[in-house]
Amino acid sequence: VRSPVWGNFVLENNRFTSDGEFRDGLEAPEPPRYPFRGKVRFEMDLQKRDLTFSSPDIESSFGRVEVRGGVRIDRDMDLEIRGEIKDVKQARAFTSLILSRTFEFPEIRGMGTADIKIAGDYDEPRVTAGFSCAPAGFAKFNAGAVEGTLEILKENVLGTFRVDDANMKGEIEL
């Protein structure tokens, strides 16, 4: 995140709570720092190292989403992200950064909507996504529209994609 958070912060009995707001402009990011704008709630039990957060509407340079979830640091996580993705390539770069993970599959591009879940082991969570993009691209392929599902667990990537383009129509399984 590129800027500070404005809001109310309370630290009491080993518990930190914040009702805050990011106020960045949404110009292009300067990785590894990304701009965000919107209200967010954080709660952290410092003794248990449990973090929960939510935002009904947070915007970045790559999308506008609802996010909610929790992380038990060094144990597990359960996050849900859903909404509009304006730049899939940039969203992938941000996801790689926050998960400290390099994705081995080719570049994906486009814009559309997504419903993403990141859950499971803290070091190797399962990422699942349902999405619809128009336009869309994967490696050297471009299409007018693609919708489907994607699942990433460790080094395994699985997906089913329905392609709708003037030059190509059909299903692809990965």
Side-chain angles (χ1 to χ4, degrees):
V1 174
R2 200 158 66 191
S3 75
V5 176
W6 283 261
N8 297 313
F9 306 91
V10 176
L11 178 59
E12 188 174 73
N13 298 324
N14 275 329
R15 188 163 191 83
F16 172 77
T17 59
S18 167
D19 287 303
E21 181 177 2
F22 293 108
R23 297 179 181 172
D24 284 336
L26 298 178
E27 62 278 352
E30 300 167 11
R33 297 167 58 116
Y34 288 81
F36 284 91
R37 182 171 46 214
K39 294 183 179 183
V40 64
R41 171 130 177 112
F42 289 100
E43 295 181 22
M44 182 160 188
D45 183 317
L46 299 173
Q47 187 172 8
K48 293 180 180 178
R49 298 175 37 139
D50 291 350
L51 169 69
T52 59
F53 50 90
S54 64
S55 175
D57 184 21
I58 192 157
E59 191 170 8
S60 74
S61 56
F62 55 84
R64 185 174 189 163
V65 297
E66 173 187 359
V67 62
R68 68 180 69 244
V71 176
R72 297 186 319 160
I73 298 173
D74 292 329
R75 293 174 285 166
D76 57 22
M77 63 179 68
D78 188 8
L79 316 172
E80 292 182 42
I81 304 161
R82 63 176 54 102
E84 172 192 1
I85 306 300
K86 296 184 273 191
D87 185 332
V88 171
K89 183 177 177 182
Q90 199 181 119
R92 173 188 170 156
F94 178 75
T95 303
S96 180
L97 179 70
I98 63 169
L99 293 178
S100 299
R101 184 171 177 189
T102 301
F103 297 115
E104 299 299 326
F105 54 90
E107 174 185 280
I108 53 176
R109 305 173 297 286
M111 55 192 277
T113 59
D115 189 349
I116 303 164
K117 186 158 177 85
I118 303 171
D121 184 77
Y122 182 83
D123 292 321
E124 293 185 327
R126 175 185 308 265
V127 179
T128 57
F131 65 91
S132 178
C133 292
F138 179 75
K140 295 180 182 181
F141 299 101
N142 291 306
V146 176
E147 65 178 39
T149 60
L150 180 69
E151 181 176 347
I152 306 165
L153 180 60
K154 297 183 182 181
E155 302 303 318
N156 299 313
V157 180
L158 304 170
T160 302
F161 313 98
R162 288 170 297 289
V163 178
D164 188 0
D165 187 80
N167 299 314
M168 176 175 39
K169 292 187 188 309
E171 279 201 13
I172 299 171
E173 288 196 23
L174 177 65

PDB file of all heavy atoms in Angstrom, residues 2-30:
ATOM      1  N   ARG A   2       0.512   2.235  -0.748  1.00  0.00           N
ATOM      2  CA  ARG A   2       1.379   3.380  -0.966  1.00  0.00           C
ATOM      3  C   ARG A   2       1.236   4.477   0.085  1.00  0.00           C
ATOM      4  O   ARG A   2       2.171   5.232   0.303  1.00  0.00           O
ATOM      5  CB  ARG A   2       1.085   3.935  -2.348  1.00  0.00           C
ATOM      6  CG  ARG A   2       2.184   4.778  -2.864  1.00  0.00           C
ATOM      7  CD  ARG A   2       2.160   4.892  -4.345  1.00  0.00           C
ATOM      8  NE  ARG A   2       1.001   5.603  -4.831  1.00  0.00           N
ATOM      9  CZ  ARG A   2       0.671   5.637  -6.105  1.00  0.00           C
ATOM     10  NH1 ARG A   2       1.382   4.996  -6.987  1.00  0.00           N
ATOM     11  NH2 ARG A   2      -0.386   6.281  -6.487  1.00  0.00           N
ATOM     12  N   SER A   3       0.085   4.612   0.704  1.00  0.00           N
ATOM     13  CA  SER A   3      -0.108   5.739   1.619  1.00  0.00           C
ATOM     14  C   SER A   3      -0.538   5.280   3.001  1.00  0.00           C
ATOM     15  O   SER A   3      -0.886   4.127   3.209  1.00  0.00           O
ATOM     16  CB  SER A   3      -1.176   6.681   1.059  1.00  0.00           C
ATOM     17  OG  SER A   3      -2.446   6.120   1.233  1.00  0.00           O
ATOM     18  N   PRO A   4      -0.536   6.227   3.935  1.00  0.00           N
ATOM     19  CA  PRO A   4      -1.025   5.894   5.278  1.00  0.00           C
ATOM     20  C   PRO A   4      -2.531   5.672   5.285  1.00  0.00           C
ATOM     21  O   PRO A   4      -3.213   5.934   4.302  1.00  0.00           O
ATOM     22  CB  PRO A   4      -0.656   7.129   6.099  1.00  0.00           C
ATOM     23  CG  PRO A   4      -0.489   8.228   5.119  1.00  0.00           C
ATOM     24  CD  PRO A   4      -0.091   7.594   3.811  1.00  0.00           C
ATOM     25  N   VAL A   5      -3.025   5.223   6.412  1.00  0.00           N
ATOM     26  CA  VAL A   5      -4.458   5.019   6.622  1.00  0.00           C
ATOM     27  C   VAL A   5      -4.929   6.068   7.615  1.00  0.00           C
ATOM     28  O   VAL A   5      -4.317   6.251   8.667  1.00  0.00           O
ATOM     29  CB  VAL A   5      -4.728   3.598   7.187  1.00  0.00           C
ATOM     30  CG1 VAL A   5      -6.205   3.420   7.500  1.00  0.00           C
ATOM     31  CG2 VAL A   5      -4.242   2.539   6.244  1.00  0.00           C
ATOM     32  N   TRP A   6      -6.009   6.768   7.271  1.00  0.00           N
ATOM     33  CA  TRP A   6      -6.620   7.725   8.186  1.00  0.00           C
ATOM     34  C   TRP A   6      -7.741   6.999   8.922  1.00  0.00           C
ATOM     35  O   TRP A   6      -8.420   6.157   8.342  1.00  0.00           O
ATOM     36  CB  TRP A   6      -7.231   8.889   7.409  1.00  0.00           C
ATOM     37  CG  TRP A   6      -6.226   9.874   6.916  1.00  0.00           C
ATOM     38  CD1 TRP A   6      -5.893  11.061   7.495  1.00  0.00           C
ATOM     39  CD2 TRP A   6      -5.430   9.775   5.737  1.00  0.00           C
ATOM     40  NE1 TRP A   6      -4.945  11.702   6.749  1.00  0.00           N
ATOM     41  CE2 TRP A   6      -4.635  10.932   5.661  1.00  0.00           C
ATOM     42  CE3 TRP A   6      -5.297   8.809   4.736  1.00  0.00           C
ATOM     43  CZ2 TRP A   6      -3.735  11.162   4.647  1.00  0.00           C
ATOM     44  CZ3 TRP A   6      -4.399   9.031   3.707  1.00  0.00           C
ATOM     45  CH2 TRP A   6      -3.630  10.193   3.669  1.00  0.00           C
ATOM     46  N   GLY A   7      -7.936   7.326  10.230  1.00  0.00           N
ATOM     47  CA  GLY A   7      -9.055   6.715  10.928  1.00  0.00           C
ATOM     48  C   GLY A   7      -8.882   6.671  12.421  1.00  0.00           C
ATOM     49  O   GLY A   7      -8.075   7.397  13.008  1.00  0.00           O
ATOM     50  N   ASN A   8      -9.646   5.772  13.042  1.00  0.00           N
ATOM     51  CA  ASN A   8      -9.602   5.555  14.482  1.00  0.00           C
ATOM     52  C   ASN A   8      -8.852   4.263  14.763  1.00  0.00           C
ATOM     53  O   ASN A   8      -9.153   3.231  14.159  1.00  0.00           O
ATOM     54  CB  ASN A   8     -11.027   5.463  15.046  1.00  0.00           C
ATOM     55  CG  ASN A   8     -11.786   6.759  14.851  1.00  0.00           C
ATOM     56  OD1 ASN A   8     -11.276   7.829  15.138  1.00  0.00           O
ATOM     57  ND2 ASN A   8     -13.006   6.655  14.358  1.00  0.00           N
ATOM     58  N   PHE A   9      -7.906   4.332  15.694  1.00  0.00           N
ATOM     59  CA  PHE A   9      -7.072   3.188  16.031  1.00  0.00           C
ATOM     60  C   PHE A   9      -7.103   2.988  17.533  1.00  0.00           C
ATOM     61  O   PHE A   9      -6.971   3.951  18.297  1.00  0.00           O
ATOM     62  CB  PHE A   9      -5.625   3.430  15.581  1.00  0.00           C
ATOM     63  CG  PHE A   9      -5.521   3.793  14.125  1.00  0.00           C
ATOM     64  CD1 PHE A   9      -5.551   5.117  13.715  1.00  0.00           C
ATOM     65  CD2 PHE A   9      -5.401   2.803  13.168  1.00  0.00           C
ATOM     66  CE1 PHE A   9      -5.461   5.452  12.375  1.00  0.00           C
ATOM     67  CE2 PHE A   9      -5.314   3.120  11.830  1.00  0.00           C
ATOM     68  CZ  PHE A   9      -5.341   4.449  11.435  1.00  0.00           C
ATOM     69  N   VAL A  10      -7.277   1.739  17.944  1.00  0.00           N
ATOM     70  CA  VAL A  10      -7.314   1.427  19.372  1.00  0.00           C
ATOM     71  C   VAL A  10      -6.424   0.225  19.623  1.00  0.00           C
ATOM     72  O   VAL A  10      -6.533  -0.799  18.929  1.00  0.00           O
ATOM     73  CB  VAL A  10      -8.756   1.105  19.840  1.00  0.00           C
ATOM     74  CG1 VAL A  10      -8.772   0.690  21.298  1.00  0.00           C
ATOM     75  CG2 VAL A  10      -9.683   2.293  19.588  1.00  0.00           C
ATOM     76  N   LEU A  11      -5.549   0.336  20.609  1.00  0.00           N
ATOM     77  CA  LEU A  11      -4.730  -0.786  21.071  1.00  0.00           C
ATOM     78  C   LEU A  11      -5.033  -0.976  22.543  1.00  0.00           C
ATOM     79  O   LEU A  11      -4.741  -0.103  23.367  1.00  0.00           O
ATOM     80  CB  LEU A  11      -3.243  -0.497  20.857  1.00  0.00           C
ATOM     81  CG  LEU A  11      -2.285  -1.572  21.344  1.00  0.00           C
ATOM     82  CD1 LEU A  11      -2.551  -2.912  20.654  1.00  0.00           C
ATOM     83  CD2 LEU A  11      -0.839  -1.127  21.106  1.00  0.00           C
ATOM     84  N   GLU A  12      -5.683  -2.110  22.846  1.00  0.00           N
ATOM     85  CA  GLU A  12      -6.120  -2.354  24.214  1.00  0.00           C
ATOM     86  C   GLU A  12      -6.140  -3.855  24.470  1.00  0.00           C
ATOM     87  O   GLU A  12      -6.682  -4.627  23.662  1.00  0.00           O
ATOM     88  CB  GLU A  12      -7.526  -1.756  24.386  1.00  0.00           C
ATOM     89  CG  GLU A  12      -8.062  -1.762  25.794  1.00  0.00           C
ATOM     90  CD  GLU A  12      -9.391  -1.023  25.867  1.00  0.00           C
ATOM     91  OE1 GLU A  12     -10.403  -1.565  25.383  1.00  0.00           O
ATOM     92  OE2 GLU A  12      -9.401   0.095  26.410  1.00  0.00           O
ATOM     93  N   ASN A  13      -5.555  -4.292  25.573  1.00  0.00           N
ATOM     94  CA  ASN A  13      -5.548  -5.704  25.968  1.00  0.00           C
ATOM     95  C   ASN A  13      -5.023  -6.620  24.846  1.00  0.00           C
ATOM     96  O   ASN A  13      -5.631  -7.630  24.520  1.00  0.00           O
ATOM     97  CB  ASN A  13      -6.948  -6.168  26.396  1.00  0.00           C
ATOM     98  CG  ASN A  13      -7.445  -5.397  27.604  1.00  0.00           C
ATOM     99  OD1 ASN A  13      -6.666  -5.041  28.498  1.00  0.00           O
ATOM    100  ND2 ASN A  13      -8.730  -5.110  27.621  1.00  0.00           N
ATOM    101  N   ASN A  14      -3.893  -6.251  24.270  1.00  0.00           N
ATOM    102  CA  ASN A  14      -3.278  -7.048  23.195  1.00  0.00           C
ATOM    103  C   ASN A  14      -4.172  -7.179  21.964  1.00  0.00           C
ATOM    104  O   ASN A  14      -4.066  -8.137  21.211  1.00  0.00           O
ATOM    105  CB  ASN A  14      -2.873  -8.444  23.677  1.00  0.00           C
ATOM    106  CG  ASN A  14      -1.519  -8.419  24.320  1.00  0.00           C
ATOM    107  OD1 ASN A  14      -0.665  -7.615  23.958  1.00  0.00           O
ATOM    108  ND2 ASN A  14      -1.304  -9.308  25.279  1.00  0.00           N
ATOM    109  N   ARG A  15      -5.065  -6.222  21.767  1.00  0.00           N
ATOM    110  CA  ARG A  15      -5.960  -6.244  20.615  1.00  0.00           C
ATOM    111  C   ARG A  15      -5.908  -4.875  19.933  1.00  0.00           C
ATOM    112  O   ARG A  15      -6.122  -3.848  20.559  1.00  0.00           O
ATOM    113  CB  ARG A  15      -7.366  -6.569  21.064  1.00  0.00           C
ATOM    114  CG  ARG A  15      -8.318  -6.804  19.921  1.00  0.00           C
ATOM    115  CD  ARG A  15      -9.573  -7.533  20.417  1.00  0.00           C
ATOM    116  NE  ARG A  15     -10.342  -7.983  19.299  1.00  0.00           N
ATOM    117  CZ  ARG A  15     -10.130  -9.102  18.626  1.00  0.00           C
ATOM    118  NH1 ARG A  15      -9.159  -9.891  18.988  1.00  0.00           N
ATOM    119  NH2 ARG A  15     -10.878  -9.444  17.611  1.00  0.00           N
ATOM    120  N   PHE A  16      -5.636  -4.909  18.638  1.00  0.00           N
ATOM    121  CA  PHE A  16      -5.578  -3.689  17.835  1.00  0.00           C
ATOM    122  C   PHE A  16      -6.801  -3.659  16.934  1.00  0.00           C
ATOM    123  O   PHE A  16      -7.102  -4.652  16.262  1.00  0.00           O
ATOM    124  CB  PHE A  16      -4.300  -3.694  16.980  1.00  0.00           C
ATOM    125  CG  PHE A  16      -4.254  -2.588  15.984  1.00  0.00           C
ATOM    126  CD1 PHE A  16      -3.947  -1.295  16.373  1.00  0.00           C
ATOM    127  CD2 PHE A  16      -4.526  -2.831  14.646  1.00  0.00           C
ATOM    128  CE1 PHE A  16      -3.908  -0.264  15.445  1.00  0.00           C
ATOM    129  CE2 PHE A  16      -4.485  -1.813  13.718  1.00  0.00           C
ATOM    130  CZ  PHE A  16      -4.179  -0.532  14.119  1.00  0.00           C
ATOM    131  N   THR A  17      -7.519  -2.541  16.914  1.00  0.00           N
ATOM    132  CA  THR A  17      -8.651  -2.374  16.004  1.00  0.00           C
ATOM    133  C   THR A  17      -8.497  -1.043  15.278  1.00  0.00           C
ATOM    134  O   THR A  17      -7.970  -0.075  15.830  1.00  0.00           O
ATOM    135  CB  THR A  17     -10.018  -2.415  16.722  1.00  0.00           C
ATOM    136  OG1 THR A  17     -10.056  -1.389  17.695  1.00  0.00           O
ATOM    137  CG2 THR A  17     -10.266  -3.765  17.379  1.00  0.00           C
ATOM    138  N   SER A  18      -8.968  -1.032  14.042  1.00  0.00           N
ATOM    139  CA  SER A  18      -8.886   0.172  13.241  1.00  0.00           C
ATOM    140  C   SER A  18     -10.078   0.236  12.294  1.00  0.00           C
ATOM    141  O   SER A  18     -10.390  -0.728  11.608  1.00  0.00           O
ATOM    142  CB  SER A  18      -7.598   0.161  12.414  1.00  0.00           C
ATOM    143  OG  SER A  18      -7.635   1.158  11.428  1.00  0.00           O
ATOM    144  N   ASP A  19     -10.738   1.379  12.293  1.00  0.00           N
ATOM    145  CA  ASP A  19     -11.699   1.716  11.250  1.00  0.00           C
ATOM    146  C   ASP A  19     -11.022   2.830  10.485  1.00  0.00           C
ATOM    147  O   ASP A  19     -10.956   3.966  10.958  1.00  0.00           O
ATOM    148  CB  ASP A  19     -13.031   2.171  11.850  1.00  0.00           C
ATOM    149  CG  ASP A  19     -13.791   1.005  12.437  1.00  0.00           C
ATOM    150  OD1 ASP A  19     -14.053   0.059  11.684  1.00  0.00           O
ATOM    151  OD2 ASP A  19     -14.111   1.043  13.639  1.00  0.00           O
ATOM    152  N   GLY A  20     -10.485   2.479   9.322  1.00  0.00           N
ATOM    153  CA  GLY A  20      -9.663   3.431   8.603  1.00  0.00           C
ATOM    154  C   GLY A  20     -10.093   3.640   7.176  1.00  0.00           C
ATOM    155  O   GLY A  20     -11.047   3.035   6.691  1.00  0.00           O
ATOM    156  N   GLU A  21      -9.335   4.518   6.522  1.00  0.00           N
ATOM    157  CA  GLU A  21      -9.632   4.829   5.131  1.00  0.00           C
ATOM    158  C   GLU A  21      -8.327   5.097   4.386  1.00  0.00           C
ATOM    159  O   GLU A  21      -7.491   5.884   4.830  1.00  0.00           O
ATOM    160  CB  GLU A  21     -10.526   6.062   5.053  1.00  0.00           C
ATOM    161  CG  GLU A  21     -10.901   6.440   3.655  1.00  0.00           C
ATOM    162  CD  GLU A  21     -11.853   7.624   3.615  1.00  0.00           C
ATOM    163  OE1 GLU A  21     -12.205   8.189   4.666  1.00  0.00           O
ATOM    164  OE2 GLU A  21     -12.250   7.997   2.492  1.00  0.00           O
ATOM    165  N   PHE A  22      -8.171   4.430   3.242  1.00  0.00           N
ATOM    166  CA  PHE A  22      -7.081   4.734   2.326  1.00  0.00           C
ATOM    167  C   PHE A  22      -7.554   5.861   1.421  1.00  0.00           C
ATOM    168  O   PHE A  22      -8.703   5.855   0.982  1.00  0.00           O
ATOM    169  CB  PHE A  22      -6.721   3.514   1.461  1.00  0.00           C
ATOM    170  CG  PHE A  22      -6.122   2.377   2.235  1.00  0.00           C
ATOM    171  CD1 PHE A  22      -6.849   1.220   2.453  1.00  0.00           C
ATOM    172  CD2 PHE A  22      -4.833   2.461   2.724  1.00  0.00           C
ATOM    173  CE1 PHE A  22      -6.308   0.155   3.149  1.00  0.00           C
ATOM    174  CE2 PHE A  22      -4.276   1.395   3.433  1.00  0.00           C
ATOM    175  CZ  PHE A  22      -5.011   0.249   3.645  1.00  0.00           C
ATOM    176  N   ARG A  23      -6.656   6.799   1.109  1.00  0.00           N
ATOM    177  CA  ARG A  23      -7.058   7.956   0.314  1.00  0.00           C
ATOM    178  C   ARG A  23      -6.124   8.208  -0.867  1.00  0.00           C
ATOM    179  O   ARG A  23      -5.949   9.338  -1.296  1.00  0.00           O
ATOM    180  CB  ARG A  23      -7.102   9.194   1.198  1.00  0.00           C
ATOM    181  CG  ARG A  23      -8.126   9.096   2.307  1.00  0.00           C
ATOM    182  CD  ARG A  23      -8.105  10.348   3.151  1.00  0.00           C
ATOM    183  NE  ARG A  23      -9.067  10.249   4.239  1.00  0.00           N
ATOM    184  CZ  ARG A  23      -9.153  11.142   5.216  1.00  0.00           C
ATOM    185  NH1 ARG A  23      -8.350  12.190   5.228  1.00  0.00           N
ATOM    186  NH2 ARG A  23     -10.040  10.982   6.172  1.00  0.00           N
ATOM    187  N   ASP A  24      -5.530   7.182  -1.396  1.00  0.00           N
ATOM    188  CA  ASP A  24      -4.616   7.356  -2.524  1.00  0.00           C
ATOM    189  C   ASP A  24      -5.345   7.807  -3.770  1.00  0.00           C
ATOM    190  O   ASP A  24      -6.509   7.481  -3.981  1.00  0.00           O
ATOM    191  CB  ASP A  24      -3.951   6.009  -2.881  1.00  0.00           C
ATOM    192  CG  ASP A  24      -2.871   5.619  -1.898  1.00  0.00           C
ATOM    193  OD1 ASP A  24      -2.309   6.503  -1.229  1.00  0.00           O
ATOM    194  OD2 ASP A  24      -2.581   4.416  -1.814  1.00  0.00           O
ATOM    195  N   GLY A  25      -4.619   8.514  -4.640  1.00  0.00           N
ATOM    196  CA  GLY A  25      -5.065   8.697  -6.009  1.00  0.00           C
ATOM    197  C   GLY A  25      -4.861   7.361  -6.697  1.00  0.00           C
ATOM    198  O   GLY A  25      -4.089   6.525  -6.221  1.00  0.00           O
ATOM    199  N   LEU A  26      -5.525   7.107  -7.777  1.00  0.00           N
ATOM    200  CA  LEU A  26      -5.471   5.779  -8.391  1.00  0.00           C
ATOM    201  C   LEU A  26      -4.612   5.750  -9.655  1.00  0.00           C
ATOM    202  O   LEU A  26      -4.841   4.948 -10.553  1.00  0.00           O
ATOM    203  CB  LEU A  26      -6.886   5.277  -8.674  1.00  0.00           C
ATOM    204  CG  LEU A  26      -7.733   5.118  -7.414  1.00  0.00           C
ATOM    205  CD1 LEU A  26      -9.135   4.668  -7.780  1.00  0.00           C
ATOM    206  CD2 LEU A  26      -7.084   4.151  -6.443  1.00  0.00           C
ATOM    207  N   GLU A  27      -3.584   6.590  -9.696  1.00  0.00           N
ATOM    208  CA  GLU A  27      -2.675   6.563 -10.824  1.00  0.00           C
ATOM    209  C   GLU A  27      -1.894   5.248 -10.837  1.00  0.00           C
ATOM    210  O   GLU A  27      -2.017   4.434  -9.936  1.00  0.00           O
ATOM    211  CB  GLU A  27      -1.719   7.766 -10.776  1.00  0.00           C
ATOM    212  CG  GLU A  27      -0.822   7.812  -9.558  1.00  0.00           C
ATOM    213  CD  GLU A  27      -1.467   8.406  -8.300  1.00  0.00           C
ATOM    214  OE1 GLU A  27      -2.577   8.931  -8.349  1.00  0.00           O
ATOM    215  OE2 GLU A  27      -0.823   8.301  -7.250  1.00  0.00           O
ATOM    216  N   ALA A  28      -1.097   5.074 -11.847  1.00  0.00           N
ATOM    217  CA  ALA A  28      -0.337   3.827 -12.016  1.00  0.00           C
ATOM    218  C   ALA A  28       0.496   3.519 -10.768  1.00  0.00           C
ATOM    219  O   ALA A  28       1.046   4.432 -10.146  1.00  0.00           O
ATOM    220  CB  ALA A  28       0.565   3.924 -13.237  1.00  0.00           C
ATOM    221  N   PRO A  29       0.595   2.244 -10.430  1.00  0.00           N
ATOM    222  CA  PRO A  29       1.363   1.859  -9.243  1.00  0.00           C
ATOM    223  C   PRO A  29       2.862   1.987  -9.485  1.00  0.00           C
ATOM    224  O   PRO A  29       3.322   2.078 -10.621  1.00  0.00           O
ATOM    225  CB  PRO A  29       0.978   0.399  -9.043  1.00  0.00           C
ATOM    226  CG  PRO A  29       0.688  -0.083 -10.416  1.00  0.00           C
ATOM    227  CD  PRO A  29       0.041   1.094 -11.117  1.00  0.00           C
ATOM    228  N   GLU A  30       3.591   1.978  -8.403  1.00  0.00           N
ATOM    229  CA  GLU A  30       5.043   1.912  -8.426  1.00  0.00           C
ATOM    230  C   GLU A  30       5.433   0.678  -7.630  1.00  0.00           C
ATOM    231  O   GLU A  30       5.795   0.772  -6.471  1.00  0.00           O
ATOM    232  CB  GLU A  30       5.633   3.177  -7.804  1.00  0.00           C
ATOM    233  CG  GLU A  30       5.233   4.448  -8.525  1.00  0.00           C
ATOM    234  CD  GLU A  30       5.551   5.712  -7.738  1.00  0.00           C
ATOM    235  OE1 GLU A  30       6.266   5.644  -6.724  1.00  0.00           O
ATOM    236  OE2 GLU A  30       5.068   6.773  -8.156  1.00  0.00           O
TER     237      GLU A  30
END
